[in-house]
Amino acid sequence: MTVIAIMDLGSNSTRMTISKVRSDGSYEVLQRSQSMVRLSEGMQSDKQLQEKAMDRTIEVMKEFMETAKEFKAEKIVPTATAAVRQATNQQVFIDKLFKETGLQLRVLTGLEEAHYDYLAIINTLQVTDTLIIDTGGGSVELIYVQGTHMVQAISVPIGAVNLTEAYLERDKISAKALFAAQLAVERQFSNVPWLQNVRHLPIVALGGSNRTFAKISRRARNVMDLPIHGYRLTAEELFDIFAEVLVADLDERKKIPGLGKDRADIIVGGMLPLITALQYVDANQVIFSQTGLREGIIFEYIMQQTGHAVVPPVPGDMTIDDDKN
């Protein structure tokens, strides 16, 4: 038995999952922690992580370390995604984090992030022939699953935080700003030729902004006993929720049941990639996932420790586009 702590430094939130992995390959989640640190805040076009954002992230990482010690974690896996991946001062942050916490940060490529998302989904949801969309603060991962195999994947540099900072107002969203942001998302999608192969397939959505759709829907339906994982909404239901969020100003968004107050200023930017994808591939249904990167890393660890593949082997001729940004 091993207690493993997996830390995920995202562009918007920093999360940690502590799990107990048993010798038979089963695992149990002992603790989940999350803090909205906005690591990518203020990066702008020069892609510089800002001092205040780095400092508050490191403080949270120190708290995570203390929690990991309380649970006697034997293995700690600190990872970072889009914000650190895209940062021109990446090494400065890595060195600062190591100096203050002793953690050696692993910066994931877009391909690695997509791969872990895939492992999490294929091992926890009974889905085949689908498009997986993971919307974070600074990137969106798109994964084409044919049967149960990942056959295409790409990470594009658009997300809740950077779309908001580049195009959208924090309070009332103007039509001009929304149009500019949607064009930016569409331009990124138009550069992914294989998206034409996933038309009409269902979408599996993960990431905090995407899960907000499900949380708002559960509150409106008064079905809080239904889990987020596996929750389904039609395209029309998603469009209705997006319209409700879009017409509200910041104070009104903070009062929408199911929408977290600390996400209200960036939620339109966070919802926009999924809404655009629904129209782009003409999907009619979205399945929501509570699992993602951290669970994917756990499944990889289990496979390495037990020597058994949890998912079918990937075809040798698979082609994947990595994050070039």
Side-chain angles (χ1 to χ4, degrees), residues 13-188:
S13 62
T14 295
R15 303 166 188 261
M16 178 177 68
T17 300
I18 301 175
S19 303
K20 178 167 60 178
V21 178
R22 302 185 183 90
S23 56
D24 64 357
S26 63
Y27 77 99
E28 174 189 354
V29 175
L30 304 177
Q31 173 76 12
R32 286 190 176 94
S33 305
Q34 175 183 348
S35 181
M36 305 288 276
V37 296
R38 296 277 171 93
L39 180 56
S40 66
E41 188 173 54
M43 284 182 71
Q44 306 298 340
S45 58
D46 63 356
K47 297 297 180 182
Q48 287 268 330
L49 291 170
Q50 300 301 298
E51 198 72 32
K52 289 183 179 179
M54 288 192 287
D55 288 344
R56 62 177 176 255
T57 301
I58 289 172
E59 285 306 308
V60 169
M61 294 298 283
K62 289 177 181 176
E63 294 172 9
F64 282 1
M65 283 287 288
E66 290 302 313
T67 302
K69 289 177 183 176
E70 290 173 14
F71 281 88
K72 296 180 173 58
E74 301 150 76
K75 186 175 179 62
I76 298 176
V77 184
T79 65
T81 53
V84 182
R85 181 165 68 233
Q86 297 168 8
T88 54
N89 59 341
Q90 176 188 118
Q91 196 59 49
V92 172
F93 177 69
I94 291 173
D95 292 344
K96 187 178 177 67
L97 178 67
F98 180 74
K99 181 180 179 180
E100 297 195 30
T101 67
L103 291 170
Q104 186 62 59
L105 189 63
R106 177 187 173 193
V107 182
L108 300 178
T109 66
L111 171 56
E112 288 172 326
E113 187 174 359
H115 175 67
Y116 287 130
D117 285 340
Y118 161 72
L119 284 181
I121 298 303
I122 209 68
N123 282 295
T124 61
L125 286 173
Q126 292 185 339
V127 293
T128 58
D129 298 321
T130 190
L131 174 66
I132 298 172
I133 297 182
D134 179 5
T135 304
S139 69
V140 171
E141 281 64 54
L142 302 167
I143 303 126
Y144 175 23
V145 177
Q146 194 174 65
T148 56
H149 299 294
M150 181 173 76
V151 294
Q152 298 281 5
I154 191 169
S155 177
V156 294
I158 50 172
V161 177
N162 54 12
L163 274 175
T164 301
E165 291 189 345
Y167 302 103
L168 300 170
E169 298 92 349
R170 299 275 176 159
D171 196 355
K172 188 72 174 178
I173 307 295
S174 67
K176 181 180 179 181
L178 178 67
F179 183 60
Q182 187 155 13
L183 279 179
V185 177
E186 289 175 353
R187 278 195 295 269
Q188 292 290 339

Side-chain angles (χ1 to χ4, degrees), residues 252-287:
E252 290 167 339
R253 290 199 296 271
K254 289 180 178 179
K255 296 174 184 176
I256 296 176
L259 201 168
K261 292 180 180 180
D262 53 1
R263 198 183 291 276
D265 60 331
I266 59 168
I267 192 59
V268 173
M271 288 178 160
L272 193 55
L274 179 56
I275 288 295
T276 306
L278 279 167
Q279 300 169 81
Y280 198 85
V281 304
D282 198 17
N284 59 19
Q285 180 180 238
V286 172
I287 306 162

Side-chain angles (χ1 to χ4, degrees), residues 195-209:
L195 277 178
Q196 298 304 316
N197 300 328
V198 301
R199 291 184 63 79
H200 311 305
L201 293 184
I203 291 174
V204 174
L206 56 150
S209 293

